Amino acid sequence: MTIGIIGAMREEIVPLLALYKEYESMEIAGNVYYKIAYKGANIIVAYSKIGKVHAAISATTMILRFGCEKIIFSGVAGGLAKGLNVGDLLLATKLCQHDVDITAFGHAKGFIPEGKLFYESDKYLCDKAKEVAKDMNLSIKEGVVASGDQFIANQQIKDSIVKEFDAIAVEMEGASVACVCDNFKIPYCIFRSISDSADGEASQSFDEFLESSAKISAHFVYKLVDKISL
């Protein structure tokens, strides 16, 4: 089995590489991919760089170049729902693109013709993630995650995303990975750790909690790979 693991930033994959310790690296299309042999499985790790386009390139490369059969996106996100705190673990049940807007043509916000408004995560991988959370005695939240090429630090925008998509968190890559995987029929799971509250203090809290939140995600994904590679 070949499993792909993507983070958006270097800080999001460094803790994971530290857990695996041994890997080889290769550069493809301006990005570095790390190949790990682990318990009979091949694991491909990369940080895509920030944004939907970069994440889509990395997901496509993992599928077409490395033959990844499952893809996990691990990283941080801004919390939208009340009760979500920094460090909380989050599993995306569905993903959407909050910054897509062709409502002038009568389409729902976030929808692209011949595409989908919401992309649903793989049930098997999500169930395994919930098993890992139980094994680790961790609470994990579930819900809609909205992706867009914006760092949300404005209460008005935050409120509009919640109202439009019933989203509980916002980030900049997940829905594009979901779209790629859906088109290639590859099971995927988008897992996040909350780093900020997507409000007026978002930039400050993001910088402060990025490292600790990324470590939480990395440790969880390490355990998840153990679970699905058995």
Side-chain angles (χ1 to χ4, degrees):
M1 180 183 294
T2 303
I3 302 168
I5 303 172
I6 307 173
M9 296 176 289
R10 185 185 301 272
E11 292 89 345
E12 292 174 324
I13 69 164
V14 166
L16 190 61
L17 293 175
L19 290 171
Y20 285 113
K21 296 184 174 65
E22 295 184 5
Y23 46 83
E24 59 177 295
S25 61
M26 59 198 78
E27 185 173 340
I28 301 172
N31 207 350
V32 179
Y33 294 80
Y34 301 88
K35 186 176 181 180
I36 301 160
Y38 180 73
K39 294 186 176 181
N42 288 319
I43 301 170
I44 309 299
V45 179
Y47 72 95
S48 59
K49 299 187 282 287
I50 292 170
K52 292 189 296 177
V53 171
H54 288 123
I57 291 171
S58 292
T60 302
T61 300
M62 285 189 165
I63 294 167
L64 295 183
R65 172 64 175 80
F66 295 102
C68 287
E69 300 161 80
K70 293 177 173 60
I71 288 184
I72 300 167
F73 197 105
S74 166
V76 297
L80 298 177
K82 292 180 180 178
L84 268 182
N85 300 307
V86 170
D88 282 352
L89 306 180
L90 173 65
L91 192 62
T93 54
K94 297 191 293 186
L95 298 106
C96 62
Q97 300 184 70
H98 70 77
D99 60 345
V100 169
D101 189 347
I102 52 171
T103 54
F105 296 97
H107 296 292
K109 191 171 182 183
F111 178 76
I112 295 175
E114 299 183 56
K116 296 179 179 179
L117 177 56
F118 291 102
Y119 291 91
E120 295 190 16
S121 299
D122 181 70
K123 185 179 185 303
Y124 169 81
L125 291 178
C126 289
D127 285 346
K128 290 298 179 183
K130 286 184 277 189
E131 287 179 19
V132 171
K134 185 176 180 180
D135 292 344
M136 296 175 67
N137 197 29
L138 294 172
S139 173
I140 188 166
K141 309 289 176 62
E142 299 177 77
V144 176
V145 172
S147 306
D149 286 318
Q150 307 167 19
F151 182 82
I152 303 301
N154 177 283
Q155 187 65 45
Q156 185 176 356
I157 297 174
K158 174 180 173 178
D159 291 343
S160 70
I161 294 171
V162 173
K163 181 180 179 181
E164 194 76 44
F165 303 102
D166 196 27
I168 67 170
V170 64
E171 35 88 307
M172 299 176 68
E173 298 85 23
S176 62
V177 173
C179 178
V180 169
C181 290
D182 184 77
N183 278 280
F184 282 103
K185 310 304 180 189
I186 298 295
Y188 64 91
C189 175
I190 310 294
F191 173 77
R192 295 287 189 168
S193 179
I194 299 301
S195 61
D196 62 85
S197 297
D199 55 16
E201 304 297 323
S203 59
Q204 180 179 349
S205 59
F206 179 86
D207 289 337
E208 184 177 352
F209 292 105
L210 171 60
E211 184 176 353
S212 60
S213 294
K215 285 181 179 178
I216 292 168
S217 286
H219 189 61
F220 188 93
V221 169
Y222 182 78
K223 295 291 186 181
L224 178 57
V225 169
D226 269 349
K227 183 79 71 172
I228 64 178
S229 61
L230 293 176

